[in-house]
Amino acid sequence: MTAQTASAQTASTVDTTLAAATAAAPVMAAAAVADRVRWLRAAADAVDAGVEDLVAAALEETHLPEGRLRGEVARTSGQLRMFADALGTGALLEAVIDTADPEASPVPRPDLRRTLRPVGPVLVFAASNFPFAFSVAGGDTASALAAGSPVVVKAHPGHPRTSVLTHRRVADALEGAGAPSGSLGLLVGTEAGVEALRDHRVKAAGFTGSVPGGLALHEVAASRPDPIPFYGELGSINPVFVTTSAVKQRGSEIAQGFVGSFTLGVGQFCTKPGLLFLPTGHGLEEALRRAGEVGSATMLHPGIREGYSAGLARLRQAEDVEVLVDGAETADGVSPSLLRTRLSTFLEQPDALLEECFGPASVIVEYDDEEELVAAAGRLEGSLTATLHAQPEDHARLGDLVAVLTDRAGRLVWNGWPTGVAVTWAMHHGGPFPSTVGSLHTSVGVTAVRRFQRPVCYQDTPEELLPEELRDRNTLGIERRVDGRVTGDDVRSSR
């Protein structure tokens, strides 16, 4: 096949897929809330029903353990049901009604009614490290479908068969439940993904991956004749700060937790702690060296392995950095590596230590005085998480450090570990650049849906032309904010 023929085939596939999504968009946007809820539940049921085939395919393609994959399938279907539940309550619509007030000062107020509407077709770039929860039917897809937007997924090359199987099951389930054809499409190949991102029919995009890859795609989205929102989750160092008191009272426990966290899943989590700040003379070397007992494991695919090897080499070559645990790299896999340096070195060359090394490697930074931690935190770039291990007697003097970390991270973890992201209403999985492109939004939790919605205000609009959630009669039985008050009652309108 010639390059020209392959390019033509890619363009044809992209066009067909986006045409189907574009045709589905107005149907999905106009669908009743109850219908959209039914679609999401059908998709969740299909994921659960296909668990055996899906896990079998992912086992062959990703090298992840079976228990992890089964848990991830459950998380995927659980996310879909969570969005269905939230949609059913009306919370995702955020209906607000300000009735007309002819006596308002300085000018009469018209009748104003605001809701959230779907943006239209959404392009999702699947992640490598979560073949289900951040892939074809993952959180980005679930939140876009809940918004009422059709989704086109660019499959990740690390698990193509798993992606095709998941798409087939979920797309069939959506259509079987009454969703229009084109509600969920699938593209394969880098060229197809970029071509789709350039296409005017795509109205927003979500991405989880590397900083270089994310920035390149963000540039495409921003440089279109009609720029679109690009929600990219990129790289994160996830620093951990430990006070002297915490080391004295539970140092071994903290060391054990840290080892478990940075080696979990072969270090292939976006919330892996990449820096650990410990007081000089902490005495935890023996406990920390147990990272060397974790053993070797295969990484997700060769591309991630190459990136990890390059990142680890960069850390090893940094000035005044000592190797505490010398992890092995073999043809079959990698074992954890742990390095150590001084805070003065970190402050002198932060760039060498702040680039994410995606895999089972982390750096210990030893400090002499806790007051130095504020300066260290000030050198940090944006991160998904920042963690503090401290004792009650430390609280009064940690205000400045907490303030800086709050400015640098999207989630502040207290006496815990950042790996493990709860899928809830309150979760914020995002942070300042480079952890994400746009720190206002989360890619995990119910409010992830807001990435794929836009507000529309209807002024003095006839009742019969309003969306159902904004009409005087509250037929959906949802809570709405009417004249500043949250209520489930009908509107007594003066129109």
PDB file of all heavy atoms in Angstrom, residues 371 373-374 377 395-406:
ATOM      1  N   GLU A 371      11.904  25.037  57.604  1.00  0.00           N
ATOM      2  CA  GLU A 371      11.626  26.321  56.961  1.00  0.00           C
ATOM      3  C   GLU A 371      12.087  26.320  55.503  1.00  0.00           C
ATOM      4  O   GLU A 371      11.584  27.101  54.691  1.00  0.00           O
ATOM      5  CB  GLU A 371      12.313  27.450  57.729  1.00  0.00           C
ATOM      6  CG  GLU A 371      11.714  27.683  59.130  1.00  0.00           C
ATOM      7  CD  GLU A 371      12.352  28.868  59.828  1.00  0.00           C
ATOM      8  OE1 GLU A 371      13.270  29.483  59.238  1.00  0.00           O
ATOM      9  OE2 GLU A 371      11.944  29.178  60.957  1.00  0.00           O
ATOM     10  N   LEU A 373      11.481  24.070  53.410  1.00  0.00           N
ATOM     11  CA  LEU A 373      10.497  23.390  52.575  1.00  0.00           C
ATOM     12  C   LEU A 373       9.632  24.369  51.799  1.00  0.00           C
ATOM     13  O   LEU A 373       9.159  24.056  50.695  1.00  0.00           O
ATOM     14  CB  LEU A 373       9.630  22.469  53.432  1.00  0.00           C
ATOM     15  CG  LEU A 373      10.363  21.299  54.093  1.00  0.00           C
ATOM     16  CD1 LEU A 373       9.377  20.449  54.893  1.00  0.00           C
ATOM     17  CD2 LEU A 373      11.072  20.445  53.046  1.00  0.00           C
ATOM     18  N   VAL A 374       9.407  25.540  52.351  1.00  0.00           N
ATOM     19  CA  VAL A 374       8.606  26.532  51.644  1.00  0.00           C
ATOM     20  C   VAL A 374       9.330  26.958  50.368  1.00  0.00           C
ATOM     21  O   VAL A 374       8.725  27.078  49.294  1.00  0.00           O
ATOM     22  CB  VAL A 374       8.302  27.741  52.540  1.00  0.00           C
ATOM     23  CG1 VAL A 374       7.552  28.811  51.754  1.00  0.00           C
ATOM     24  CG2 VAL A 374       7.488  27.310  53.755  1.00  0.00           C
ATOM     25  N   ALA A 377       9.095  24.100  47.885  1.00  0.00           N
ATOM     26  CA  ALA A 377       7.767  24.031  47.267  1.00  0.00           C
ATOM     27  C   ALA A 377       7.599  25.126  46.223  1.00  0.00           C
ATOM     28  O   ALA A 377       6.927  24.933  45.203  1.00  0.00           O
ATOM     29  CB  ALA A 377       6.690  24.157  48.341  1.00  0.00           C
ATOM     30  N   HIS A 395       1.005  21.406  62.910  1.00  0.00           N
ATOM     31  CA  HIS A 395       0.000  22.129  62.131  1.00  0.00           C
ATOM     32  C   HIS A 395       0.195  23.634  62.163  1.00  0.00           C
ATOM     33  O   HIS A 395       0.082  24.309  61.133  1.00  0.00           O
ATOM     34  CB  HIS A 395      -1.405  21.773  62.625  1.00  0.00           C
ATOM     35  CG  HIS A 395      -1.757  20.338  62.410  1.00  0.00           C
ATOM     36  ND1 HIS A 395      -2.967  19.805  62.791  1.00  0.00           N
ATOM     37  CD2 HIS A 395      -1.056  19.302  61.851  1.00  0.00           C
ATOM     38  CE1 HIS A 395      -3.003  18.518  62.488  1.00  0.00           C
ATOM     39  NE2 HIS A 395      -1.851  18.189  61.910  1.00  0.00           N
ATOM     40  N   ALA A 396       0.476  24.185  63.313  1.00  0.00           N
ATOM     41  CA  ALA A 396       0.529  25.643  63.464  1.00  0.00           C
ATOM     42  C   ALA A 396       1.598  26.282  62.590  1.00  0.00           C
ATOM     43  O   ALA A 396       1.452  27.443  62.182  1.00  0.00           O
ATOM     44  CB  ALA A 396       0.748  26.014  64.929  1.00  0.00           C
ATOM     45  N   ARG A 397       2.669  25.557  62.297  1.00  0.00           N
ATOM     46  CA  ARG A 397       3.756  26.160  61.533  1.00  0.00           C
ATOM     47  C   ARG A 397       3.777  25.744  60.063  1.00  0.00           C
ATOM     48  O   ARG A 397       4.726  26.060  59.339  1.00  0.00           O
ATOM     49  CB  ARG A 397       5.108  25.817  62.176  1.00  0.00           C
ATOM     50  CG  ARG A 397       5.483  24.356  62.193  1.00  0.00           C
ATOM     51  CD  ARG A 397       6.888  24.171  62.790  1.00  0.00           C
ATOM     52  NE  ARG A 397       7.332  22.812  62.756  1.00  0.00           N
ATOM     53  CZ  ARG A 397       7.057  21.895  63.685  1.00  0.00           C
ATOM     54  NH1 ARG A 397       6.314  22.226  64.737  1.00  0.00           N
ATOM     55  NH2 ARG A 397       7.522  20.659  63.575  1.00  0.00           N
ATOM     56  N   LEU A 398       2.750  25.028  59.615  1.00  0.00           N
ATOM     57  CA  LEU A 398       2.739  24.548  58.231  1.00  0.00           C
ATOM     58  C   LEU A 398       1.873  25.391  57.307  1.00  0.00           C
ATOM     59  O   LEU A 398       1.716  25.053  56.125  1.00  0.00           O
ATOM     60  CB  LEU A 398       2.263  23.092  58.185  1.00  0.00           C
ATOM     61  CG  LEU A 398       3.227  22.055  58.773  1.00  0.00           C
ATOM     62  CD1 LEU A 398       2.598  20.670  58.730  1.00  0.00           C
ATOM     63  CD2 LEU A 398       4.553  22.067  58.027  1.00  0.00           C
ATOM     64  N   GLY A 399       1.323  26.485  57.806  1.00  0.00           N
ATOM     65  CA  GLY A 399       0.414  27.289  56.993  1.00  0.00           C
ATOM     66  C   GLY A 399       1.038  27.788  55.702  1.00  0.00           C
ATOM     67  O   GLY A 399       0.410  27.734  54.631  1.00  0.00           O
ATOM     68  N   ASP A 400       2.293  28.291  55.785  1.00  0.00           N
ATOM     69  CA  ASP A 400       2.942  28.821  54.576  1.00  0.00           C
ATOM     70  C   ASP A 400       3.189  27.718  53.549  1.00  0.00           C
ATOM     71  O   ASP A 400       3.003  27.914  52.338  1.00  0.00           O
ATOM     72  CB  ASP A 400       4.259  29.505  54.936  1.00  0.00           C
ATOM     73  CG  ASP A 400       4.059  30.811  55.674  1.00  0.00           C
ATOM     74  OD1 ASP A 400       2.922  31.335  55.656  1.00  0.00           O
ATOM     75  OD2 ASP A 400       5.025  31.303  56.294  1.00  0.00           O
ATOM     76  N   LEU A 401       3.611  26.535  54.028  1.00  0.00           N
ATOM     77  CA  LEU A 401       3.865  25.424  53.115  1.00  0.00           C
ATOM     78  C   LEU A 401       2.564  24.968  52.453  1.00  0.00           C
ATOM     79  O   LEU A 401       2.526  24.740  51.235  1.00  0.00           O
ATOM     80  CB  LEU A 401       4.518  24.264  53.862  1.00  0.00           C
ATOM     81  CG  LEU A 401       4.813  23.004  53.039  1.00  0.00           C
ATOM     82  CD1 LEU A 401       5.715  23.319  51.859  1.00  0.00           C
ATOM     83  CD2 LEU A 401       5.436  21.922  53.924  1.00  0.00           C
ATOM     84  N   VAL A 402       1.521  24.850  53.238  1.00  0.00           N
ATOM     85  CA  VAL A 402       0.228  24.445  52.682  1.00  0.00           C
ATOM     86  C   VAL A 402      -0.250  25.452  51.643  1.00  0.00           C
ATOM     87  O   VAL A 402      -0.779  25.076  50.586  1.00  0.00           O
ATOM     88  CB  VAL A 402      -0.815  24.281  53.803  1.00  0.00           C
ATOM     89  CG1 VAL A 402      -2.224  24.120  53.219  1.00  0.00           C
ATOM     90  CG2 VAL A 402      -0.480  23.068  54.666  1.00  0.00           C
ATOM     91  N   ALA A 403      -0.039  26.730  51.901  1.00  0.00           N
ATOM     92  CA  ALA A 403      -0.469  27.764  50.950  1.00  0.00           C
ATOM     93  C   ALA A 403       0.257  27.619  49.623  1.00  0.00           C
ATOM     94  O   ALA A 403      -0.361  27.728  48.548  1.00  0.00           O
ATOM     95  CB  ALA A 403      -0.226  29.147  51.543  1.00  0.00           C
ATOM     96  N   VAL A 404       1.571  27.374  49.662  1.00  0.00           N
ATOM     97  CA  VAL A 404       2.330  27.223  48.425  1.00  0.00           C
ATOM     98  C   VAL A 404       1.900  25.959  47.684  1.00  0.00           C
ATOM     99  O   VAL A 404       1.720  25.966  46.464  1.00  0.00           O
ATOM    100  CB  VAL A 404       3.844  27.195  48.701  1.00  0.00           C
ATOM    101  CG1 VAL A 404       4.622  26.927  47.411  1.00  0.00           C
ATOM    102  CG2 VAL A 404       4.298  28.518  49.316  1.00  0.00           C
ATOM    103  N   LEU A 405       1.727  24.864  48.416  1.00  0.00           N
ATOM    104  CA  LEU A 405       1.332  23.615  47.769  1.00  0.00           C
ATOM    105  C   LEU A 405      -0.070  23.705  47.184  1.00  0.00           C
ATOM    106  O   LEU A 405      -0.352  23.124  46.124  1.00  0.00           O
ATOM    107  CB  LEU A 405       1.413  22.459  48.767  1.00  0.00           C
ATOM    108  CG  LEU A 405       2.819  22.115  49.260  1.00  0.00           C
ATOM    109  CD1 LEU A 405       2.764  20.963  50.253  1.00  0.00           C
ATOM    110  CD2 LEU A 405       3.742  21.765  48.100  1.00  0.00           C
ATOM    111  N   THR A 406      -0.952  24.426  47.846  1.00  0.00           N
ATOM    112  CA  THR A 406      -2.290  24.629  47.302  1.00  0.00           C
ATOM    113  C   THR A 406      -2.231  25.369  45.981  1.00  0.00           C
ATOM    114  O   THR A 406      -3.025  25.124  45.063  1.00  0.00           O
ATOM    115  CB  THR A 406      -3.150  25.417  48.308  1.00  0.00           C
ATOM    116  OG1 THR A 406      -3.237  24.683  49.536  1.00  0.00           O
ATOM    117  CG2 THR A 406      -4.554  25.649  47.772  1.00  0.00           C
TER     118      THR A 406
END
